[in-house]
Structures are given as structure tokens and as C-alpha cells.
């Protein structure tokens, strides 16, 4: 049934701007302001902590340059040994198994391609028909859906023009009010989903 044949089409409901626009927007603004303030505070804390660490490190280097350098060298060697062990124990086996799986997949794909080529060589018409059949089925389904859609759109346009001929002013007001109410609902749902994500 077309929206224009709906009996509620000419019933104007008051637009609830307070609950559909103002309150959700204010709530979203408050939530975003709170999150930005918290982010600013966290960044400030991280920078202050980083600055304190740099200051302590600089004091250490200044007070005991040889010991600090030796300590850093030992830490770097330790970290390098850990990374080397992790690469050898974790990443190389993963890469090796991925390589082996890729070889298996490529071999399987090669066998399938060979089977397809042999089938095409033996029966070219049947092979091409089998390849085209899913595309044809999909195209037929798409055409059916598009046809139904265009028929419904055409029907709605005809209904709108009939209403415009019978009562033009009321129809334009109803289209305007219903479109505005629909846009307000979309805005409200958008803001509500943003608030739910935050």
C-alpha cells in the first residue's frame, strides 16, 4: 500500500523538537565534551609522566654516565636477545606454516584450474553454460526485484499526482510535514546510536 493511501497521511502530528532534536543534541554535546576533557587530562598526565622520566634519566646520565650507559647497553642486549628468541620461536613457525598452507592452496588451485581446463577442452559448450548459469540466475532475480521496485515507485508517484490534482495544498503540506517528521526521526536515531556507542 502506498504511503499516500495511508489514512494517517493527512493527520499532522506535532513535531517533537524538544525530544527529537534539542535534548539528544545537548546530551551528545555533553558526552563528547566530557570525553574530550578526559582525553585532554590523560594526554596531559602522560606528557607530565614522560617529562619526569626524561628528567630522571637526564639526571642519571649526568651523575653517572658510565654506569648508566653500561646499564642501558645491558638492557638493549637483553631486549635484543628477547626479540631474537621471540622471532625464532613465535614468528618464524607462523610464517613457515602460512607458507606451507599457501603452497597447499596454490597446488589445489592449480589442480582445479587443470580440471577446469580439461573439462573445457572436452566439453566447451557445457562448461561455458555451467559458468554462465549462476550469473543468469542472479541477473534474472535482480531484474525481478527491480521490476517490483519500479512498479511500486510508479504506483506511489501516480497516487501522489492524483492527490495533487484533488487537493494540492493539503497534499503539499502533508508531504512537507511527513518528510520533516521522517527527517527528525532519522536525526533522533542517528544521535541515539552515537550516544549508545559513546
Amino acid at each position: 500500500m502506498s504511503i499516500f493511501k495511508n489514512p494517517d497521511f493527512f493527520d499532522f502530528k506535532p513535531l517533537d523538537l524538544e525530544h527529537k532534536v534539542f535534548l539528544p543534541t545537548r546530551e551528545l554535546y555533553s558526552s563528547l565534551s566530557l570525553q574530550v576533557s578526559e582525553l585532554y587530562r590523560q594526554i596531559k598526565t602522560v606528557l607530565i609522566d614522560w617529562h619526569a622520566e626524561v628528567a630522571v634519566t637526564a639526571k642519571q646520565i649526568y651523575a653517572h654516565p658510565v654506569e648508566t650507559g653500561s646499564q642501558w647497553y645491558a638492557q638493549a642486549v637483553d631486549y635484543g636477545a628477547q626479540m631474537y628468541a621471540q622471532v625464532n620461536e613465535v614468528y618464524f613457525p607462523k610464517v613457515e606454516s602460512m607458507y606451507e598452507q599457501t603452497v597447499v592452496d596454490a597446488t589445489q588451485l592449480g589442480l582445479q584450474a587443470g580440471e577446469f581446463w580439461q573439462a573445457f577442452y572436452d566439453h566447451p559448450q557445457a562448461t561455458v553454460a555451467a559458468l554462465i548459469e549462476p550469473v543468469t540466475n542472479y541477473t534474472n532475480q535482480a531484474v525481478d526485484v527491480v521490476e517490483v521496485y519500479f512498479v511500486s515507485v510508479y504506483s506511489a508517484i501516480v497516487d501522489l499526482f492524483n492527490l495533487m490534482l484533488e487537493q494540492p495544498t493539503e497534499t503539499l503540506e502533508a508531504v512537507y510535514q511527513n518528510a520533516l517528521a521522517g527527517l527528525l526521526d532519522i536525526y533522533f536515531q542517528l544521535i541515539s546510536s552515537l550516544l549508545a556507542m559513546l
Side-chain angles (χ1 to χ4, degrees), residues 6-193:
N6 188 344
D8 294 336
F9 181 68
F10 287 105
D11 292 340
F12 300 140
K13 297 168 189 73
L15 299 175
D16 189 9
L17 293 176
E18 181 69 26
H19 290 97
K20 297 264 178 158
V21 176
F22 301 132
L23 287 177
T25 304
R26 191 176 310 129
E27 195 174 323
L28 179 64
Y29 178 76
S30 298
S31 177
L32 287 175
S33 295
L34 183 68
Q35 288 186 356
V36 167
S37 299
E38 178 62 23
L39 180 63
Y40 173 75
R41 189 193 62 72
Q42 289 175 355
I43 290 172
K44 183 179 174 182
T45 303
V46 166
L47 289 176
I48 289 171
D49 292 346
W50 178 74
H51 183 267
E53 285 181 30
V54 168
V56 167
T57 303
K59 286 179 182 178
Q60 272 183 336
I61 291 173
Y62 184 74
H64 308 287
V66 175
E67 293 86 0
T68 304
S70 298
Q71 182 184 7
W72 284 1
Y73 178 76
Q75 288 174 351
V77 167
D78 212 21
Y79 181 74
Q82 289 174 358
M83 286 293 105
Y84 181 78
Q86 186 175 11
V87 165
N88 281 333
E89 295 170 4
V90 176
Y91 296 118
F92 277 160
K94 284 183 182 179
V95 169
E96 185 178 10
S97 68
M98 287 171 48
Y99 172 75
E100 290 171 357
Q101 184 62 41
T102 303
V103 168
V104 168
D105 292 345
T107 304
Q108 186 66 28
L109 187 62
L111 291 174
Q112 289 175 350
E115 290 171 2
F116 172 77
W117 180 253
Q118 188 61 44
F120 179 75
Y121 184 74
D122 292 342
H123 309 287
Q125 291 176 336
T127 305
V128 170
L131 283 174
I132 293 176
E133 183 180 1
V135 175
T136 305
N137 291 340
Y138 177 75
T139 305
N140 290 339
Q141 290 173 353
V143 166
D144 292 344
V145 168
V146 169
E147 182 181 3
V148 168
Y149 175 74
F150 279 131
V151 166
S152 67
V153 168
Y154 174 77
S155 172
I157 291 172
V158 167
D159 292 343
L160 176 63
F161 281 131
N162 287 338
L163 279 175
M164 291 291 285
L165 290 174
E166 294 170 8
Q167 37 190 333
T169 306
E170 294 85 2
T171 303
L172 285 176
E173 286 179 13
V175 167
Y176 173 75
Q177 286 286 4
N178 287 320
L180 193 56
L183 287 174
L184 285 176
D185 287 341
I186 290 170
Y187 180 80
F188 177 74
Q189 290 172 358
L190 177 70
I191 297 297
S192 298
S193 63

